[in-house]
Amino acid sequence: MRGVSESATLRLNALVAEMKKQGQEIFNFTAGEPDFFVPEAAKQAVREALTANASKYTPVAGIPELRAQVAEKTNRAQPKLVKRWSAQDVVITNGGKQAIFNTFLALLKPGERVLIPAPYWLSYPSMVQLCGGVPVIIPTDPAHGYKLQPEQLRQALLAQQHAPANGRSVKMLILNSPNNPTGAVYSAQEFQALVQVLESQPFVELGRKLWVLSDEIYDRIVFPPAVFCSFLAAAPQWREQTITINGMSKSAAMTGWRIGWSVAPQRLTESLVILQGQSTSGINSLAQWASVAALKLPEESFQGQKDSYLERRNQMVGYLAGLSGGGTRVVIPEGAFYLFLDIKAYLAPQETASDLAEKLLTQCGVAVVPGGIFGAPDSIRLSFATNEATLKGGCLRLVDFLKKSAT
Ligand code: PLP
């Protein structure tokens, strides 16, 4: 536990709460969840499940109806798989978070390394550590849209091959597209270029043993012309070495229902089921029935949400345009609902993004998440899952503040 960091945002959250209590106006860009309501069909399914007394323990891996829906959804996203997924390959978990944690716990031997491109979703490194593994962070560059470049992957693998700590080598690579916190979306070609590295000399042998964890939890929130590509749609030959993570939190605005899942080859899924059976057991029955209903909804029923995210993404990018030329590159997010901003040019010597975030909050009433927790200490994350008044008022204050601090 000593090696695992506590959430660095607690102090800021406490400040926000205190300022709100004092009646101060806060432009809050910290939301990590959609601002839509749960689909009506999901609510109706809960009412029906209640009436039908669907309130007993559920099977450890999930109710068969939901596992089947998830297998079908995953097969649609991964059309080139020779061996299709079936309900048996799915484990329903307490949010995507538990699926990721279970995977690390099942797979990692002490000291084994996990490659994590940064900026990353904050829980990956801590979870790896909690499960005895060692996170190996590979920083990506705003100039490349925060996407892992094949050469960077090659260099990281070479470094690990030459110096495997504890004699343990690399076990897993984490890919997250669309990405939290950067909104980066990988194309099929970009995934294929990474896979090419893993399949070429001198990594052929390592590549055969390596696992890819593909976190696709923001799959529905992608802005044209970008399109969502599941990792196994680009690299179907990796089926036996890939865990696909997804869930209802972001795509159906069901964060509080805690439904996520893994889709993985049988040899891993068997372990995941044992692990879950001895820890949390099957997931809340009503939430599972709600998810069955939400997964049956046609894609068009989410068009309004998608349009709204796109509209707000564009608004935020427009308001921040004033920063371009001031040493900051505004990387336009292609998916999810976050914009990641490199503010290095605005930091005083010795100042961190956390210091700047605190000043932003206390002096301008603008709340942002400092990038340190995502492995990018010179940046801040802004969520555009918020109302238009906040987008406008908050972004203008932010731009004004940054410009002043640069002079
Ligand atoms: N993966 C990513 C990239 C996320 O941003 C989140 C939540 O913020 C999760 C996984 C976990 O989602 P949940 O446990 O709510 O399903």
Side-chain angles (χ1 to χ4, degrees), residues 122-390:
L122 68 166
S123 293
Y124 299 141
S126 298
M127 285 189 187
V128 166
Q129 283 175 301
L130 284 169
C131 296
V134 178
V136 175
I137 308 301
I138 315 176
T140 63
D141 193 334
H144 295 128
Y146 292 112
K147 292 181 203 175
L148 178 64
Q149 300 299 297
E151 184 54 25
Q152 289 180 304
L153 178 60
R154 213 176 73 81
Q155 291 301 335
L157 287 169
L158 276 178
Q160 291 304 313
Q161 266 202 338
H162 291 140
N166 317 336
R168 295 274 189 208
S169 77
V170 179
K171 180 66 160 274
M172 200 187 291
L173 166 67
I174 297 183
L175 295 171
N176 170 216
S177 171
N179 180 276
N180 174 9
T182 66
V185 174
Y186 286 70
S187 68
Q189 290 79 0
E190 286 163 336
F191 276 144
Q192 279 155 2
L194 295 176
V195 165
Q196 227 170 35
V197 173
L198 302 175
E199 292 177 349
S200 64
Q201 291 298 351
F203 310 120
V204 178
E205 204 187 319
L206 174 75
R208 275 196 216 106
K209 291 191 234 144
L210 194 85
W211 286 87
V212 169
L213 183 145
S214 181
D215 182 345
E216 306 183 357
I217 203 145
Y218 291 91
D219 62 351
R220 185 169 273 145
I221 311 171
V222 175
F223 309 120
V227 283
F228 170 70
C229 178
S230 177
F231 175 73
L232 284 181
Q237 70 277 27
W238 275 65
R239 184 196 186 277
E240 295 307 307
Q241 293 165 258
T242 300
I243 308 106
T244 304
I245 302 289
N246 210 324
M248 305 304 293
S249 292
K250 318 290 175 169
S251 58
M254 290 171 64
T255 42
W257 299 64
R258 309 308 302 129
I259 295 287
W261 55 77
S262 58
V263 183
Q266 263 307 297
R267 69 186 198 284
L268 173 59
T269 294
E270 280 165 16
S271 302
L272 296 175
V273 176
I274 292 171
L275 193 50
Q276 185 147 307
Q278 298 294 13
S279 52
T280 58
S281 290
I283 305 310
N284 177 296
S285 59
L286 301 180
Q288 290 198 61
W289 284 110
S291 302
V292 171
L295 282 174
K296 282 186 186 158
L297 288 170
E299 196 52 37
E300 304 83 77
S301 57
F302 294 94
Q303 195 56 45
Q305 294 190 14
K306 296 200 251 187
D307 291 345
S308 164
Y309 285 127
L310 174 60
E311 171 63 27
R312 291 182 285 173
R313 192 275 314 250
N314 290 343
Q315 284 179 17
M316 182 174 265
V317 169
Y319 295 134
L320 297 181
L323 291 176
S324 292
T328 299
R329 181 192 298 266
V330 178
V331 178
I332 300 176
E334 298 177 298
F337 39 75
Y338 312 103
L339 188 146
F340 206 60
L341 195 62
D342 184 337
I343 48 154
K344 207 187 301 103
Y346 301 99
L347 295 174
Q350 315 300 329
E351 197 181 32
T352 65
S354 284
D355 303 328
L356 188 131
E358 197 167 325
K359 273 204 262 172
L360 253 177
L361 181 60
T362 49
Q363 296 175 20
C364 310
V366 175
V368 302
V369 184
I373 56 171
F374 308 110
D378 293 334
S379 301
I380 53 175
R381 189 190 76 174
L382 302 161
S383 165
F384 47 88
T386 184
N387 61 53
E388 295 186 3
T390 300

